[in-house]
Amino acid sequence: MSPRLDFSDWWGKDSKKGTPVVVKMENPNYSVVEINGPDSAFRPVEKNRGKNAKQVTWVLLLKAHRAVGCVAWLATVFWALLGAIKKRLIFRQGVAVATEKLGKGKLVLKIIRVFLVTSLAILAFEVLAYLKGWRYFESANLHIPRTLGVQGLLHMVYVAWLTFRADYIAPVIQVLSQFCVVLFLIQSVDRLVLCLGCFWIKFKKIKPRIDGDPFKSDDVEAPGYEYPMVLVQIPMCNEREVYEQSISAVCQMDWPKDRILIQVLDDSNDESIQWLIKAEVTKWNQKGVNIIYRHRLIRTGYKAGNLKSAMSCDYVKDYEFVAIFDADFQPNPDFLKLTVPHFKNNPELGLVQARWAFVNKDENLLTRLQNINLCFHFEVEQQVNGAFLNFFGFNGTAGVWRIKALEDSGGWLERTTVEDMDIAVRAHLNGWKFIFLNDVKVLCEVPESYEAYRKQQHRWHSGPMQLFRLCLPAIITSKIALWKKANLIFLFFLLRKLILPFYSFTLFCIILPLTMFVPEAELPMWVICYVPVVMSFLNILPDPKSFPFIVPYLLFENTMSVTKFNAMVSGLFQLGSSYEWVVTKKAGRSSESDLLAAAERDSKTMNQPQICRGASETELGLLNQLTEQKEAAPKPVKKVNKIYRKELALAFLLLTASVRSLLSAQGVHFYFLLFQGVTFLVVGLDLIGEQIS
């Protein structure tokens, strides 16, 4: 009798892929062949087959290891946060209190402090009532005891507070919350429609196209190539970190040298930076590039005044188009050949806008969250508006204008801090059309510190409201179609520039914590959780790699609503800082994508003749002067973190509300308020811009 073979232990283990195995016995009555190949994937699995004790033990140990690692990570983060609170908030080591100059921020801070003190007093009263057993708030139907049921003076005061809260405070909060919920739903519908439009563009592969060879001459008698005259402007102000990168990238653009002029518009008030920029311009000028340096003695109108002054030069009339790049932008050599051809045979086209790409998007958590917002802005908002409306807000850089469109629209005006949006609205009212190129990207930077990002967002949200006040009469009296007027007023300005920061701040930072102390006006769960998560999901769709950051993104956007609301009010009512221009600080980093782009530019220009710096006396003198300026340049100042009082006050308000939600056993409200309060705390202590791996 042949010996018994039991392969059950083999089947229960993970087998390794390899060559087929044939097993035979010495005196075989049969043979068993085990084939480990592609067909083994289709072999049915026995559900009733169990695992031995050793396998179960290892699985449990692995899960326990993961759980311990997660708890250890949370403990490390919590301990680091406590250390930052102790160092920055209690001992004030290496920090400075941020000044409240942005849009009368002191008034907003006082209001938040009043809410905080009131909530602390109410919380103490509620805890005392909870300990005494007066738990009327645990019932869905609030029961207020009558006079006969009152036990002592404190109980009478508590009952009077419940009555006053239910009769007078709750109705006001309910009306305000319902109004904000309606605005929230309208804005969510607008966001959903934009996403559907983006999906349709992807599905139908809709994008601007260039027919034929745009530069080929139409003249039969003189065949050849004709390139239009292009003016390139690089406005900058004290841009020590990035001036060299932008000038170098622009000077290497692939365009006939006799058909292009580069203007470096320097508004720097630091003489050492002026000399550095002059030396860089001289270097490229000696290489045969048609580039000039302009410096204004009187810096009025900020960037708009700088561009307006440059356009007033007599030689500008010889040029047909103007391309604008901020100091941290690095266009690829083929930028003009990808953008300028769209103007041919399209006389109504006034602007071609390219997309931004960021060299430092993975620098820290703040830059990653900014990348989510800006990817949605370009991929969805700009692309959809450009494809279906032929109108969108000019981004101020990485775009090519038809000079005639600028002149017909009144040129650059110095009346707001958003001169790019101003000229776009006026050009739209004059009938000019815009094109957005989503596949043409220009490298640039996003702010790496919360201080720089906060100032940038203040300017971006106060300027549109200031412009809305100035442009509203012109929009109403313009000759464009009625639906275009409605789109400008209700969608472009009111919904996306005013309503969004208003409801976000009011609903999630004011009403939600108040409803914890006034449970009669409780917000529904779908407002707090479901709809915001869905909207955040839609925002992250253009950048799928950012899905792990969906929760931090949602919380950080609610945190930034304080700055955006403050800026919106400042611009709408013409408060002190609505016309305050602060140049966004750059780091001048060279990320991996930046280095790859530079290598690509170098490879494309290797076959072009390069003129090296000679040893003439003029060049040696300039080189020595440049060396002296670099040696005399001020040393970088050590970073000083800021403490933002409004964010900290709101953090304590939300954390207080989260404690109150525990008394009512509201789990979802507790976690949301807790995480939102911690986010405000992290931002208020200026931890959001710290380095991450």
Side-chain angles (χ1 to χ4, degrees):
M1 179 178 180
S2 301
R4 177 176 176 270
L5 294 177
D6 187 4
F7 295 96
S8 61
D9 291 340
W10 289 18
W11 296 337
K13 297 180 181 179
D14 294 334
S15 59
K16 298 182 180 180
K17 295 183 178 180
T19 57
V21 178
V22 179
V23 180
K24 296 184 178 180
M25 307 305 301
E26 295 179 357
N27 300 316
N29 294 330
Y30 58 87
S31 64
V32 179
V33 181
E34 178 181 302
I35 302 177
N36 188 2
D39 294 337
S40 62
F42 301 95
R43 186 179 302 159
V45 180
E46 297 180 9
K47 295 184 179 179
N48 57 352
R49 186 174 69 243
K51 295 182 179 180
N52 56 35
K54 184 180 293 185
Q55 289 176 319
V56 174
T57 303
W58 278 108
V59 171
L60 293 178
L61 287 176
L62 180 60
K63 291 183 178 180
H65 179 267
R66 292 177 178 176
V68 171
C70 182
V71 172
W73 180 82
L74 291 175
T76 303
V77 173
F78 181 71
W79 187 256
L81 181 60
L82 291 180
I85 294 174
K86 177 182 177 182
K87 178 180 178 181
R88 299 186 182 183
L89 192 59
I90 300 177
F91 295 104
R92 301 291 180 91
Q93 297 179 1
V95 296
V97 179
T99 57
E100 298 293 345
K101 294 181 180 180
L102 301 180
K104 301 295 183 181
K106 293 183 179 180
L107 178 60
V108 178
L109 178 60
K110 290 180 180 179
I111 295 175
I112 296 174
R113 283 178 172 175
V114 170
F115 277 113
L116 176 59
V117 173
T118 305
S119 65
L120 288 172
I122 296 175
L123 177 62
F125 201 26
E126 294 281 4
V127 170
L128 180 61
Y130 182 85
L131 296 177
K132 286 184 173 292
W134 307 334
R135 305 176 185 178
Y136 309 118
F137 46 76
E138 291 183 356
S139 176
N141 298 320
L142 180 63
H143 170 69
I144 301 177
R146 299 304 174 186
T147 307
L148 296 177
V150 174
Q151 306 169 2
L153 179 62
L154 184 61
H155 194 193
M156 183 176 65
V157 173
Y158 183 64
V159 170
W161 155 247
L162 293 180
T163 305
F164 178 79
R165 186 182 75 184
D167 294 341
Y168 299 101
I169 299 179
V172 176
I173 296 179
Q174 285 177 340
V175 171
L176 184 58
S177 63
Q178 289 173 0
F179 177 68
C180 290
V181 167
V182 171
L183 297 180
F184 177 44
L185 292 177
I186 294 175
Q187 197 272 336
S188 300
V189 171
D190 173 66
R191 189 63 55 94
L192 181 61
V193 170
L194 287 175
C195 290
L196 292 176
C198 184
F199 291 148
W200 182 257
I201 290 174
K202 298 292 184 183
F203 178 71
K204 291 292 186 178
K205 298 181 180 180
I206 302 174
K207 68 176 184 178
R209 303 182 187 277
I210 303 173
D211 297 330
D213 191 344
F215 303 112
K216 191 172 182 180
S217 176
D218 297 332
D219 191 354
V220 180
E221 297 181 356
Y225 291 88
E226 294 182 354
Y227 292 85
M229 299 288 287
V230 178
L231 178 68
V232 181
Q233 296 177 333
I234 313 176
M236 57 180 63
C237 179
N238 297 326
E239 308 282 3
R240 181 188 297 272
E241 295 81 9
V242 294
Y243 75 93
E244 189 174 1
Q245 299 174 6
S246 60
I247 294 177
S248 174
V250 171
C251 288
Q252 296 183 65
M253 287 197 298
D254 186 11
W255 201 257
K257 297 183 183 298
D258 59 336
R259 311 294 292 178
I260 186 174
L261 173 64
I262 302 172
Q263 288 180 318
V264 178
L265 311 177
D266 183 23
D267 260 3
S268 304
N269 53 13
D270 189 333
E271 291 187 1
S272 63
I273 299 178
Q274 294 177 23
W275 280 108
L276 292 173
I277 298 175
K278 286 181 182 178
E280 185 70 16
V281 171
T282 302
K283 179 183 75 174
W284 287 101
N285 197 1
Q286 293 174 351
K287 291 183 178 181
V289 178
N290 193 10
I291 181 172
I292 60 174
Y293 173 87
R294 280 180 56 86
H295 177 72
R296 294 193 303 163
L297 297 177
I298 302 177
R299 184 192 168 199
T300 58
Y302 304 112
K303 181 180 176 181
N306 198 359
L307 294 172
K308 181 179 180 180
S309 174
M311 294 299 294
S312 63
C313 297
D314 295 335
Y315 52 79
V316 172
K317 65 179 183 296
D318 298 329
Y319 293 85
E320 188 176 358
F321 306 106
V322 55
I324 303 173
F325 300 100
D326 282 350
D328 59 316
F329 279 71
Q330 306 168 49
N332 287 327
D334 58 352
F335 176 83
L336 292 178
K337 290 189 174 181
L338 294 176
T339 54
V340 174
H342 290 278
F343 289 97
K344 188 175 182 180
N345 300 324
N346 196 355
E348 296 181 348
L349 182 61
L351 168 67
V352 175
Q353 173 72 59
R355 181 175 175 170
W356 300 359
F358 310 105
V359 299
N360 60 339
K361 63 181 180 180
D362 296 326
E363 187 63 28
N364 54 44
L365 180 59
L366 177 61
T367 58
R368 295 184 182 185
L369 298 179
Q370 292 180 71
N371 181 63
I372 296 174
N373 257 341
L374 292 171
C375 281
F376 181 86
H377 169 69
F378 288 108
E379 186 86 14
V380 180
E381 293 180 341
Q382 298 291 75
Q383 186 173 207
V384 171
N385 290 326
F388 296 106
L389 302 178
N390 293 122
F391 167 72
F392 48 81
F394 175 46
N395 294 116
T397 177
V400 181
W401 277 94
R402 189 190 298 271
I403 294 180
K404 188 177 185 300
L406 292 177
E407 295 173 347
D408 290 349
S409 305
W412 299 104
L413 299 182
E414 308 167 10
R415 56 182 182 174
T416 69
T417 57
V418 284
E419 74 294 327
D420 45 8
M421 185 181 295
D422 188 1
I423 188 63
V425 171
R426 287 184 282 118
H428 180 58
L429 295 179
N430 284 317
W432 291 98
K433 296 181 179 181
F434 303 162
I435 282 180
F436 178 76
L437 302 179
N438 190 57
D439 53 350
V440 179
K441 300 179 180 180
V442 181
L443 294 174
C444 63
E445 289 187 13
V446 289
E448 296 182 7
S449 67
Y450 178 70
E451 180 184 11
Y453 179 63
R454 183 170 177 260
K455 292 178 179 178
Q456 181 197 69
Q457 291 301 304
H458 181 270
R459 176 165 56 88
W460 284 5
H461 286 82
S462 65
M465 288 297 95
Q466 188 181 17
L467 178 63
F468 178 65
R469 288 169 51 97
L470 298 173
C471 284
L472 184 58
I475 295 174
I476 296 175
T477 59
S478 65
K479 298 180 180 180
I480 62 175
L482 183 61
W483 68 271
K484 291 184 178 181
K485 295 181 182 180
N487 173 69
L488 269 177
I489 296 175
F490 295 108
L491 292 181
F492 186 76
F493 278 112
L494 292 182
L495 182 59
R496 297 166 188 166
K497 303 297 188 299
L498 187 148
I499 291 178
L500 177 59
F502 171 77
Y503 88 76
S504 182
F505 171 74
T506 308
L507 188 62
F508 295 106
C509 300
I510 300 298
I511 294 179
L512 179 59
L514 285 180
T515 56
M516 295 298 99
F517 301 98
V518 187
E520 298 87 350
E522 182 181 355
L523 291 172
M525 188 65 62
W526 58 269
V527 174
I528 301 173
C529 182
Y530 303 141
V531 177
V533 170
V534 172
M535 291 299 104
S536 300
F537 178 80
L538 293 178
N539 283 5
I540 293 182
L541 279 181
D543 186 27
K545 294 182 180 179
S546 299
F547 272 110
F549 301 96
I550 184 171
V551 174
Y553 172 74
L554 172 61
L555 298 174
F556 181 68
E557 281 301 293
N558 291 337
T559 305
M560 283 305 300
S561 65
V562 182
T563 299
K564 296 176 181 179
F565 174 81
N566 191 22
M568 181 268 293
V569 174
S570 174
L572 188 62
F573 297 101
Q574 298 288 328
L575 300 182
S577 62
S578 60
Y579 195 66
E580 182 180 5
W581 180 289
V582 180
V583 178
T584 305
K585 186 177 180 181
K586 285 93 174 177
R589 296 190 181 275
S590 296
S591 67
E592 182 180 357
S593 58
D594 190 8
L595 295 174
L596 289 174
E600 183 181 356
R601 288 196 297 266
D602 292 341
S603 64
K604 290 184 178 180
T605 57
M606 282 181 62
N607 297 329
Q608 298 180 2
Q610 300 291 331
I611 304 176
C612 300
R613 181 185 293 271
S616 64
E617 295 181 0
T618 304
E619 293 171 350
L620 290 176
L622 181 61
L623 180 60
N624 293 333
Q625 192 174 27
L626 179 61
T627 304
E628 294 175 359
Q629 292 293 338
K630 288 185 177 180
E631 293 176 354
K635 296 181 179 180
V637 182
K638 185 179 179 181
K639 178 184 176 182
V640 178
N641 296 93
K642 297 292 184 68
I643 291 181
Y644 301 97
R645 293 179 290 183
K646 287 200 299 293
E647 284 79 358
L648 286 179
L650 277 170
F652 294 131
L653 175 62
L654 291 167
L655 292 175
T656 303
S658 68
V659 175
R660 172 60 181 82
S661 66
L662 286 177
L663 301 180
S664 304
Q666 295 173 310
V668 176
H669 293 74
F670 167 74
Y671 287 114
F672 181 84
L673 290 168
L674 176 63
F675 290 131
Q676 189 65 72
V678 171
T679 305
F680 269 103
L681 187 62
V682 169
V683 172
L685 294 175
D686 201 9
L687 295 172
I688 190 68
E690 299 294 333
Q691 297 283 338
I692 62 175
S693 58

